[in-house]
Every structure is written in structure tokens, then in C-alpha cells.
Amino acid sequence: MTAKKLGLKQRYAHMTRGLDWETSYQPMDKVFPYDTFEGIKIKDWSAWEDPFRLTMDAYWKFQAEKERKLYAVIDAFAQNNGQTGVTDGRYANVLKLFLTGISPEEYQAHRGFAYAGRHLRGVGPRVAAQMQSLDELRHIQTQIHTISHYNKYFDGLAEFPHMHDRVWYLSVPKSFFDDARSAGPFEFMIAIGFAFEYVLTNLLFVPFMSGAAYNGDMSTVTFGFSAQSDESRHMTLGIEVIKFLLEQHPDNLPIVQKWVDKWFWRGHRVLGLVAMMMDYMLPKPVMSWKEAWEIYFTEAGGALFQDLARYGLRPPKYADIATAEAEHISHQNWAIFYQYTHAAAFHTWLPDAKHMDWLSEKYPNTFDKYYRPRFEMWGQMAKEGKRFYNMALPQLCQTCQIPMGYTEPGDPTTICFRKTQFRGETYHFCSDGCKDIFEAEPEKFAQAWLPVHQIFQGNCGGATIPDVLNYYRMNVGADNMDYVGSPDEKLWNEWQADKIRTAV
Amino acid sequence: MSVVALTPDYEKHIEFRDLESNFHGNRVVYLHWEQHLSFCSAIAFPLPPSMPFGAFVEAIVKPHYNAHPDFEKIDWAQVVWMIDDEKRTPEMEKSLDENGVKHKSLVRFWTPGLSGYKGSAS
Ligand SMILES: [Fe+2]
Ligand SMILES: [Fe+2]
Ligand SMILES: [Zn+2]
């Protein structure tokens, strides 16, 4: 007798929920020790609605297919020397920022979802989190493979995992994920699954992928496409998680609200790096950060929180401040990197006249008044042979670890200084958002590994800047400093000269 | 304890990373020149608490801000100082500590009449 083939629905049920069982040798509380301490109450795990109906074998087949297409494009890109066809050599710096600052977070996401996929008691979310965990591992792998081609030609890419763990500004995304990964599984799901993958994801991936498309980088566009169907699954998981928690018990609302507030603000701070990339680093810009914020947060996020209002959830605290900051954050961040170019693993430059006009047009309220004079002054100084550097280390925010360069809400001429006391020690913050986060969990954030303080304590290779750069494995004179005069620029100019020669 | 932790003895394991005792006899002092945001943020230094305030001005403040075109125009007698939240007139021969500069104190100063490149606070 031949076995009857199962229908799709039955198959799905057997291959996901059917794999679960009630333990008998050990109590369930011992098998799942991490899913109660956060205070989240789940009455009925079976009420979880699987956000996507995918079994592991089908998942495997889809992903393999996408992989084949991606690697075909990467091969073609390499064979055709695609790196010579991007808009400008400066574009490579976008990839440096991505590979050092974002790809390692794909790996962190992989680890975090593996943890949630082990420790949530319900089989539905567990299976979904496990699949996302695999996706994230695939993301870092495809990103490394895609960008490795650029590593053959451009500086600043070779030491990305080492740099990620050590370099001062990379502690911003690193500590963001360390914070999420050292939380309980429910907070992780709200932090990364909901706040990051649902609310803020379009502000991360759309800018990088459309930036790549506008600037002729077809290989990066393709890994973006290859991750797109994964990302839409991640979004449906993120929204299902928050709805499930809010539906399960009214006591969950204040806990979830606190996490939404925290992770929105933390995400907003990390995305400041993307803001700077969009407004200053793309040779051919796509849209301004302010426009992206309006579309993807103010409008899309607004609709989302209207929908979630029926559960009693309100929009994240300080969303209004974040929106007001969209006028400033990219300019302030680029100014930070310009003056610390000697300690950055990508190149910097001043926007040229045409680019400044674009910024004036995109930021009519702020650019000409506050930021154009800064860049013009630096341009003047560079012309006189006195290129502007900041030769001291910056004060960092205890929570987000960014140099405290953001200004008072409503006053772009004054730095926003906030501080608090905990057990007789003073802690400093860039904003009320970061201060609130600290005050909710001071025991955790008092332990922050702040790069500047670590240097002073002698834990980063030595007391001088060359010692520290060596500890970072920064190839001084190649990885850091201005684009103009860099080996990257020299190589790019040679390619352009070759093109002209062959055309003649 | 306000952090929600898995282990009830979480507090016993806190590693306070930035205690003054970790800085080999120095304390961390933050410094900021107001209205001159070309310097993107306050800057940080590990300094001996016994350092005279006058030496701090000469050896730390001046060399780190002299790249700015406004620097030469500063009338140091007119400078307004703020240590943490208090405006005060530091006693130059007295130490940082005696002037109230503690571990992780913030020293801000204003230079009257100077408000950055073309008055833009840059
Ligand atoms: Fe991902
Ligand atoms: Fe994702
Ligand atoms: Zn902060």
C-alpha cells in the first residue's frame, strides 16, 4: 500500500506545530526558564497565528533558488568589473559603513532570533523565530560575499569584524544589539522583531538599496532584492508578536509600551548613521533623510500606531523630538566624522557647491542657517592648508554611545546636555530619550563599555592615537582620512583615465 | 533594583566600568566651548585632580581650541565659566578639585562677543 500524500494544510500543521510536545521528564518551566521573568503573561500560546505558512523544507527550496540568482549576478558583476561603473569612488565608503556597522548586526540578529527560537514556549513563534534566525545568517553571508569583491580594490573593508568590536563609532550599533541580546526573549522580539524590523526597517534598507541602484552598484541591489522576501516575513512576524502580546493579557501593555518607547529611541539614534549616508555619502543622492523620515516614519508609522491604538498602545515617546531632529541629525553626524576623519575607517569630504545647494533645497529651515557656514568655514581652512581636525576625544552619551553632538530641541546652537546620578556616579546623555532609558535600567547601562573611557583606562592598545588605531587594525593613511588624496581616489582616477583612453 | 533581570543577584555582578579609581589617578573632565559647534561635542580628558585650573586653561583648553578663527579674539578675562550647573569664577591657582571639578564634571565656557563663524554658532 502506498502512503497517501498529505494536503498542504495538514503537512504544514505536522511540520510545524506537530513537532511540539509537552515535556514529561522535566517540568516545562525548567525547559523554558527564560520566558516568565520579564513579567509577560501568556494565557494561551495556541492563539498565536502563524504569520507565514512555511515549512522548513519549502523554506530551504525558496532560499536556494534566490541564492543561485544572487551568485549569478555577483559573478557577472565581478567579470564585468562592475566596481569601475559606479557613480564615483566615494560610493565605496557607503559599503564600508554598511559592512562594518550593519552586516555584523545581521549576525547579532541571527544569534538573537536563535535565542528567541529556543526560549519561547509556544511552538508557533519558536518556528518563526528559528526561520528568521536562518535568514539573518544568510544576510550576513550574502553581504560579505557581495562586498568582498570591493575589498579587492578599496580600503577600509578588510578588517570589518575586528573593527566592529573595537572602533569607537561602531560601538553605537554594537551596543544597540548587545542591549537587545542581553534582554529576555520577549523584549528581544519587541526590540528587533517589532521596533527594528517593522517600524524602522524601511529607513535602513530602502536607503542603502536604492542608494546602490542610483549609484550603479547592481551587486548590492541584488543582495537587497534577495533579502526582500525575508524582510517581508520579518515584518509580519514583528506585527504578530506585538498584537499577540497585547491580546494575551492587559498587564502586558505597560511592559510592551516601555519597550516600544525604548527601542524606538535607540533605533532612531542608530539610524542617524543612515541619515548621514543618505545626505552626504551617496555621490548621487536618492532623497533626503528628512523626506525618508516623513514617508517611512511619520506617514507609515503614524498609520501603524493608529491601528495599534485599539490595544491601548500609544506612539513611541519622543517621536515628536525624533521628527524635529530629522532637520539636523545628518548634518551633525557628518560634521562629527569630518573632524574625526583620522579615526574613521572610511573617507570623508566636504560637500561641494552643487551638493550644498541640494542640501539647501532639501533643508530650507536649517541648512543655510546652521550647517552651510560650518562647511564653508572648513572649506576655507582647508584651502589655506589648515584642514580642521578635532584633536581631543569626544564626550559620549552613556546610552547610545554617540559623541554628544546633538542640540537642544528648538535650539540648534546649543548642545543638549543631560545627566543623572546613580550610586554616587554621574552619567551623561545626549537627550531625554537616552536619559530615560538609562534611568529605567541603570544597573545595566552603568556597565556600558564607552570607547573613550576605555582608551583613558589604557584598555585600547595605548595612550596615543596611533596606538589606538593600531588596536583597531586601521591601516593609517589608507583606511582613514579624506577621500581626496587617498589610495581609493588614486585608483578611481586611474580607472577613469583608462576609460577615456580606451574610448579614444 | 529597577532592571528586570533573570537572576535575583544581578546587582552583585554589576561592573561599574567608569569609576574614578579605574583611571590611574586621573579623573575624567569634559570641556565645551559654547557657540562654537565646529567642535562637534564636548571633549574629554583624563586629568589629575590636583592640576591647577590655570594650568588646565593653558595646557588643555587653549591648545584644543586654537584651530578656530575666533580663538585669537578671545578676551580670557571676560570668559564666563560654568562647572556642572553653576556659573562661577574659577580660582586659577587652585586645583581642579578645589574649584569643584569632580569625576565626570562638565566645564562649559562662553566667550562674550564671539558666537562662531559669521555668528552661526559654528
Ligand atoms: Fe537581516
Ligand atoms: Fe530582517
Ligand atoms: Zn544618546
Side-chain angles (χ1 to χ4, degrees):
Chain A
M1 208 179 94
T2 51
K4 242 179 91 192
K5 249 191 149 181
L6 292 172
L8 216 62
K9 245 188 162 164
Q10 273 177 302
R11 217 181 119 69
Y12 173 76
H14 284 302
M15 296 297 285
T16 54
R17 303 219 170 186
L19 297 174
D20 197 32
W21 73 95
E22 279 275 331
T23 56
S24 51
Y25 293 159
Q26 291 288 336
M28 288 289 269
D29 279 341
K30 264 183 125 178
V31 178
F32 296 100
Y34 294 173
D35 75 348
T36 49
F37 78 93
E38 297 173 273
I40 290 291
K41 294 175 183 155
I42 306 294
K43 288 182 300 196
D44 178 14
W45 279 106
S46 72
W48 170 271
E49 281 193 44
D50 296 347
F52 38 87
R53 306 263 154 132
L54 198 57
T55 56
M56 200 45 89
D57 57 332
Y59 171 82
W60 220 246
K61 227 168 73 196
F62 287 139
Q63 300 300 66
E65 190 51 43
K66 287 196 293 186
E67 213 89 316
R68 265 193 293 280
K69 286 182 189 149
L70 170 65
Y71 285 96
V73 172
I74 294 176
D75 283 347
F77 188 83
Q79 268 161 28
N80 298 323
N81 286 314
Q83 77 283 356
T84 66
V86 297
T87 43
D88 186 71
R90 286 175 176 81
Y91 172 75
N93 295 289
V94 171
L95 298 177
K96 297 175 195 181
L97 187 63
F98 193 89
L99 188 70
T100 56
I102 295 173
S103 300
E105 311 319 339
E106 301 275 15
Y107 183 73
Q108 293 248 49
H110 153 68
R111 296 288 302 272
F113 280 101
Y115 163 76
R118 164 64 183 84
H119 287 291
L120 294 173
R121 197 167 306 212
V123 64
R126 219 159 66 226
V127 169
Q130 284 166 9
M131 273 181 200
Q132 177 153 358
S133 172
L134 287 174
D135 287 341
E136 304 298 2
L137 190 58
R138 197 177 84 85
H139 293 171
I140 182 171
Q141 181 172 295
T142 54
Q143 288 163 18
I144 292 169
H145 286 163
T146 306
I147 297 174
S148 69
H149 179 67
Y150 287 89
N151 180 46
K152 295 174 191 160
Y153 305 98
F154 294 98
D155 294 310
L157 293 161
E159 293 288 353
F160 76 93
H162 182 89
M163 285 183 173
H164 182 71
D165 288 344
R166 298 189 175 199
V167 176
W168 59 281
Y169 57 91
L170 297 174
S171 81
V172 174
K174 178 180 163 60
S175 61
F176 172 92
F177 260 92
D178 285 348
D179 185 1
R181 284 195 47 216
S182 53
F186 288 113
E187 182 177 350
F188 180 85
M189 291 301 282
I190 295 298
I192 307 303
F194 175 71
F196 205 69
E197 295 271 0
Y198 196 95
V199 184
L200 300 171
T201 187
N202 284 331
L203 286 161
L204 179 63
F205 286 99
V206 176
F208 274 103
M209 299 316 143
S210 50
Y214 266 54
N215 288 277
D217 176 9
M218 290 327 286
S219 57
T220 298
V221 170
T222 311
F223 87 54
F225 272 133
S226 165
Q228 212 169 43
S229 55
D230 301 351
E231 292 311 334
S232 49
R233 259 187 294 111
H234 302 173
M235 288 182 79
T236 55
L237 176 56
I239 195 79
E240 175 59 23
V241 163
I242 198 160
K243 288 184 175 173
F244 180 70
L245 296 192
L246 294 171
E247 277 164 5
Q248 281 293 313
H249 202 286
D251 289 356
N252 294 344
L253 175 63
I255 303 174
V256 170
Q257 182 74 60
K258 202 177 91 181
W259 289 337
V260 167
D261 292 349
K262 170 183 173 183
W263 288 98
F264 165 77
W265 188 259
R266 277 190 78 22
H268 161 62
R269 276 289 175 254
V270 170
L271 289 177
L273 290 171
V274 184
M276 160 186 106
M277 184 282 290
M278 283 183 88
D279 283 348
Y280 286 89
M281 295 175 74
L282 288 174
K284 194 174 163 202
V286 179
M287 61 166 89
S288 68
W289 172 252
K290 191 180 159 214
E291 289 168 318
W293 186 263
E294 273 162 16
I295 298 169
Y296 298 116
F297 182 73
T298 309
E299 285 170 27
L304 166 69
F305 283 100
Q306 232 160 45
D307 181 42
L308 292 172
R310 67 194 148 107
Y311 299 105
L313 199 78
R314 49 159 182 74
K317 198 176 176 188
Y318 302 125
D320 53 334
I321 304 281
T323 296
E325 282 188 356
E327 292 266 12
H328 303 279
I329 202 159
S330 67
H331 319 299
Q332 294 174 347
N333 280 348
W334 188 241
I336 292 173
F337 282 99
Y338 180 78
Q339 64 198 265
Y340 287 114
T341 190
H342 43 292
F346 56 87
H347 297 305
T348 56
W349 54 87
L350 287 175
D352 62 16
K354 191 174 148 228
H355 195 90
M356 285 213 265
D357 288 345
W358 180 79
L359 289 165
S360 302
E361 183 200 315
K362 296 296 181 185
Y363 294 93
N365 306 323
T366 53
F367 186 74
D368 284 348
K369 200 165 169 201
Y370 303 108
Y371 304 107
R372 181 186 280 271
R374 203 163 299 173
F375 294 128
E376 285 180 351
M377 177 183 121
W378 290 341
Q380 187 57 39
M381 292 172 81
K383 245 208 237 144
E384 294 163 10
K386 295 185 286 191
R387 200 270 191 210
F388 181 80
Y389 298 98
N390 193 327
M391 292 317 289
L393 304 183
Q395 180 185 27
L396 303 179
C397 171
Q398 184 76 24
T399 301
C400 70
Q401 308 201 1
I402 300 173
M404 297 227 334
Y406 302 129
T407 45
E408 279 291 349
D411 178 10
T413 67
T414 305
I415 294 285
C416 179
F417 288 109
R418 296 291 183 274
K419 64 174 195 260
T420 196
Q421 294 280 324
F422 176 61
R423 309 253 174 101
E425 281 277 305
T426 306
Y427 296 90
H428 296 270
F429 310 96
C430 71
S431 54
D432 290 315
C434 280
K435 180 173 181 252
D436 283 9
I437 291 168
F438 178 95
E439 286 179 337
E441 298 168 287
E443 298 88 350
K444 187 173 191 180
F445 289 96
Q447 305 185 64
W449 193 94
L450 292 186
V452 169
H453 293 170
Q454 290 299 314
I455 291 169
F456 291 160
Q457 290 176 32
N459 299 333
C460 301
T464 67
I465 290 181
D467 290 339
V468 174
L469 297 183
N470 187 42
Y471 167 82
Y472 291 168
R473 288 198 196 150
M474 209 173 278
N475 184 6
V476 174
D479 293 348
N480 61 350
M481 307 299 274
D482 281 328
Y483 175 72
V484 174
S486 69
D488 275 11
E489 187 204 32
K490 188 165 167 275
L491 180 66
W492 177 258
N493 288 343
E494 282 166 16
W495 290 345
Q496 299 317 301
D498 276 353
K499 276 188 185 168
I500 293 164
R501 260 199 302 279
T502 42
V504 171
Chain B
M1 186 170 72
S2 36
V3 72
V4 177
L6 181 61
T7 47
D9 63 344
Y10 183 93
E11 277 185 288
K12 276 199 232 143
H13 303 285
I14 300 176
E15 189 183 344
F16 292 93
R17 282 203 164 73
D18 295 327
L19 301 175
E20 188 171 356
S21 53
N22 293 354
F23 290 86
H24 316 291
N26 291 321
R27 58 178 54 161
V28 176
V29 177
Y30 303 113
L31 172 68
H32 182 59
W33 184 7
E34 293 290 331
Q35 300 290 299
H36 290 80
L37 294 177
S38 286
F39 300 94
C40 62
S41 66
I43 46 185
F45 301 92
L47 300 174
S50 59
M51 184 185 224
F53 203 95
F56 169 68
V57 173
E58 293 306 317
I60 302 293
V61 182
K62 290 185 180 176
H64 286 98
Y65 288 119
N66 66 11
H68 197 285
D70 270 0
F71 179 81
E72 285 172 17
K73 297 178 228 158
I74 298 175
D75 176 355
W76 289 93
Q78 297 298 313
V79 168
V80 176
W81 296 93
M82 183 190 254
I83 297 169
D84 293 329
D85 297 315
E86 252 182 86
K87 291 234 165 125
R88 30 162 120 204
T89 314
E91 296 185 55
M92 292 296 162
E93 63 295 338
K94 285 197 171 162
S95 71
L96 290 173
D97 186 66
E98 288 164 318
N99 274 292
V101 178
K102 303 299 173 195
H103 182 48
K104 295 208 231 164
S105 273
L106 169 65
V107 179
R108 303 164 74 173
F109 67 102
W110 282 258
T111 47
L114 301 176
S115 52
Y117 182 72
K118 294 185 178 168
S120 69
S122 275

